Amino acid sequence: MLRRISARYFRGLGAAVVTVAALVTAANAGPARADQPPHAPHTAPAEVARLR
């Protein structure tokens, strides 16, 4: 009888470990970041450039 109880607890513990591992993996897996194109150099509009 002790073996049945031990096996039952062992299976339950194994299932809990697998569940926690799956939840942690799912929580850390977010959407991938898209590559952003490089920013263009900052230039002032023509009106502002003329006033300087």
Side-chain angles (χ1 to χ4, degrees):
M1 183 168 163
L2 186 59
R3 275 190 200 188
R4 285 190 206 167
I5 294 173
S6 297
R8 187 177 302 162
Y9 282 123
F10 184 73
R11 282 192 306 245
L13 181 63
V17 168
V18 169
T19 302
V20 169
L23 288 173
V24 168
T25 302
N28 288 329
R33 292 185 182 174
D35 290 336
Q36 296 180 357
H39 294 289
H42 181 69
T43 57
E47 294 104 20
V48 175
R50 274 187 286 157
L51 295 176
R52 290 186 184 178

